[in-house]
Amino acid sequence: EIAAIGTARRFFAFTLVATVFLFLQQAVLEPFGGDVLGLSVRATSGFNAVQTLGVLAGMLITGRGIADRAGHKRTATAGLAGSTVAFTALAAAALSGSVEASWLGVLLVGLTTGLFNVAVLALMMAMSAPERVALFMGAWTVSHALADGLATAGGGLLHDLALRIASTEVAYASVFTLEALGLALCIPLLRRINVDTFAKEAAPDSARR
């Protein structure tokens, strides 16, 4: 039923691809701290804590009316662009072995992810027909769950493949760089999403006539 709606298909693909690239680093972030920066297990576990705090801060800031005033698509676009910059910075930090830059990059990733989360959640709510909210929200949840699994497995696989032909620093930087490129490519995908078009396509036949 959802696949029959063109805008819904595009939105499902967008959330899947964007989430994959947004979380590709989650399996390699802590090992990165030990392998490249020489941090202890205790210190590297702080990466996820800092990223989570950044996400919460980004969601809090964005959720206080910014997304509504700026527009959800525009806010999501800003989140994608910001995440592109953040992962580029993290890749540069990996290549240089800078501990301070790495912590800052992780924080920026969290902040921009929080911004993106709020905007996309609002879009998910808008991309749900009133008569079939559970159906559409279930589909968007499936998209996120699939992306989360693919990102966890894919990040480790990409690192291991890169490690066969490059140094440890380059292997981790390759994962972060791919995320930056992937998120940048998601921006044109987002532009093709139109809530008004979805509402017309998802409306019952009687409402469209």
Side-chain angles (χ1 to χ4, degrees):
E1 185 175 348
I2 291 173
I5 302 172
T7 310
R9 291 198 305 269
R10 289 192 290 272
F11 188 66
F12 186 95
F14 165 75
T15 55
L16 176 68
V17 174
T19 304
V20 165
F21 285 117
L22 204 57
F23 293 103
L24 206 59
Q25 87 291 346
Q26 62 185 2
V28 301
L29 194 57
E30 290 190 23
F32 158 69
D35 294 342
V36 176
L37 306 177
L39 298 176
S40 66
V41 174
R42 178 183 177 183
T44 56
S45 63
F47 275 155
N48 285 325
V50 169
Q51 184 175 344
T52 301
L53 288 174
V55 169
L56 293 175
M59 293 179 70
L60 178 63
I61 294 169
T62 310
R64 294 180 65 85
I66 293 177
D68 292 333
R69 290 193 295 271
H72 300 136
K73 277 185 63 173
R74 188 176 298 174
T75 304
T77 301
L80 290 172
S83 295
T84 299
V85 173
F87 280 114
T88 300
L90 198 55
L95 292 174
S96 65
S98 172
V99 176
E100 294 79 8
S102 296
W103 283 106
L104 180 59
V106 170
L107 179 61
L108 288 175
V109 166
L111 285 170
T112 54
T113 299
L115 188 153
F116 178 79
N117 284 348
V118 171
V120 170
L121 182 59
L123 284 173
M124 286 181 177
M125 296 298 293
M127 300 280 286
S128 300
E131 306 83 3
R132 295 170 290 175
V133 172
L135 176 66
F136 284 99
M137 291 303 293
W140 312 149
T141 303
V142 168
S143 175
H144 182 86
L146 286 172
D148 190 45
L150 289 171
T152 301
L157 178 62
L158 286 170
H159 167 267
D160 289 350
L161 290 174
L163 192 59
R164 292 183 178 183
I165 59 174
S167 65
T168 300
E169 293 80 7
V170 171
Y172 284 106
S174 298
V175 176
F176 303 144
T177 300
L178 181 62
E179 290 184 281
L181 292 173
L183 290 168
L185 292 175
C186 284
I187 294 176
L189 291 179
L190 178 58
R191 289 174 180 163
R192 297 185 62 195
I193 307 299
N194 189 297
V195 175
D196 293 334
T197 301
F198 167 81
K200 294 177 182 177
E201 293 178 342
D205 291 339
S206 59
R208 290 199 293 266
R209 287 196 292 266

